[in-house]
Amino acid sequence: MSEQHHLEHQNKKTSFNLLLGAGIAFVLLGILLLGISSSGIEMQVIGIHHLVCVALGGCLLFLAIVKLRRKSVMFAGLFLVLTGLLLFFIRTKHIPYTLDALWPLVVVIGGVSLLLSGLFVYRRARISQVIPSVSLLLLGGCCLLFSLDVIQQPFLQFASRWWPVLLIAAGFCLVILFFIWNKRSIRLEDADDDFNDLEDTN
């Protein structure tokens, strides 16, 4: 009976995995086909490497969710899917900019992928994940302002004037880390005291 129950459980799990795989495939395929049909550009002009990038990313996402559950695999899947879609929509002219102007978005995608992969694996936001993710987001966003000519001033001139802002931001991060870790250590000490009190009463 236990063996039959185990087989039923495996069959149900396989069915759920197939649903997930089909769902990811349909979503990505639908986005790509919608982009192709609405652009009026022939497939030969668009190229296949963007589609391969998105497909490979989708496969990694499926493996990360179903089997491997590793942060690196989830990160790679998200990064490939989002980067492939960005390049695809640039190629199909849905985004009216070139890659030379939008390259900082790849850095932003890296930050988003890192944050989401950490949330998926650890089920919560960890400082070791949040700080690099936010750093990539800020770096990519700052570079995007220059690449899109939102800030007309040359980057080197801007950086030579405003670089102390990095020190201020780093200082704030260190202060926040201090309060977070201090709060955790106080909780652990209180838990140890409660445990010792219970031992003394026994």
Side-chain angles (χ1 to χ4, degrees):
M1 187 67 180
S2 61
E3 186 177 350
Q4 184 179 357
H5 180 72
H6 178 70
L7 288 174
E8 290 177 357
H9 177 72
Q10 287 295 110
N11 291 333
K12 188 179 292 187
K13 188 176 180 180
T14 302
S15 300
F16 287 152
N17 292 345
L18 288 175
L19 281 176
L20 176 66
I24 293 174
F26 285 168
V27 169
L28 296 179
L29 184 62
I31 292 173
L32 293 172
L33 291 176
L34 184 63
I36 293 172
S37 63
S38 60
S39 67
I41 300 176
E42 295 183 359
M43 187 64 191
Q44 293 82 0
V45 179
I46 295 174
I48 197 172
H49 51 284
H50 310 309
L51 309 183
V52 172
C53 184
V54 174
L56 180 59
C59 293
L60 289 175
L61 280 179
F62 175 77
L63 290 175
I65 295 172
V66 169
K67 190 173 183 180
L68 297 179
R69 201 171 184 79
R70 291 181 180 175
K71 185 182 65 177
S72 57
V73 180
M74 175 62 75
F75 170 80
L78 286 171
F79 185 78
L80 286 174
V81 167
L82 296 177
T83 304
L85 289 176
L86 172 66
L87 297 175
F88 171 75
F89 285 118
I90 290 174
R91 188 70 174 174
T92 55
K93 308 298 183 183
H94 285 93
I95 299 177
Y97 294 97
T98 63
L99 185 60
D100 292 336
L102 293 181
W103 68 264
L105 280 181
V106 178
V107 181
V108 173
I109 289 173
V112 172
S113 302
L114 186 62
L115 182 63
L116 293 179
S117 60
L119 288 173
F120 174 77
V121 173
Y122 301 118
R123 304 285 186 178
R124 61 187 176 87
R126 299 180 66 178
I127 298 298
S128 59
Q129 292 291 126
V130 173
I131 290 179
S133 302
V134 173
S135 300
L136 287 174
L137 290 173
L138 292 177
L139 178 63
C142 181
C143 292
L144 192 63
L145 294 176
F146 288 95
S147 65
L148 294 178
D149 292 329
V150 175
I151 298 177
Q152 300 291 334
Q153 192 176 15
F155 177 76
L156 291 178
Q157 185 179 352
F158 180 87
S160 65
R161 181 176 181 181
W162 294 100
W163 69 266
V165 174
L166 295 176
L167 292 177
I168 297 172
F172 273 117
C173 291
L174 292 175
V175 171
I176 292 170
L177 281 175
F178 165 78
F179 282 110
I180 291 174
W181 286 340
N182 191 43
K183 189 175 181 180
R184 286 182 180 176
S185 64
I186 290 173
R187 285 180 180 175
L188 290 174
E189 289 175 2
D190 291 340
D192 290 338
D193 291 340
D194 293 339
F195 182 74
N196 292 331
D197 291 340
L198 286 174
E199 283 187 338
D200 292 338
T201 55
N202 291 332

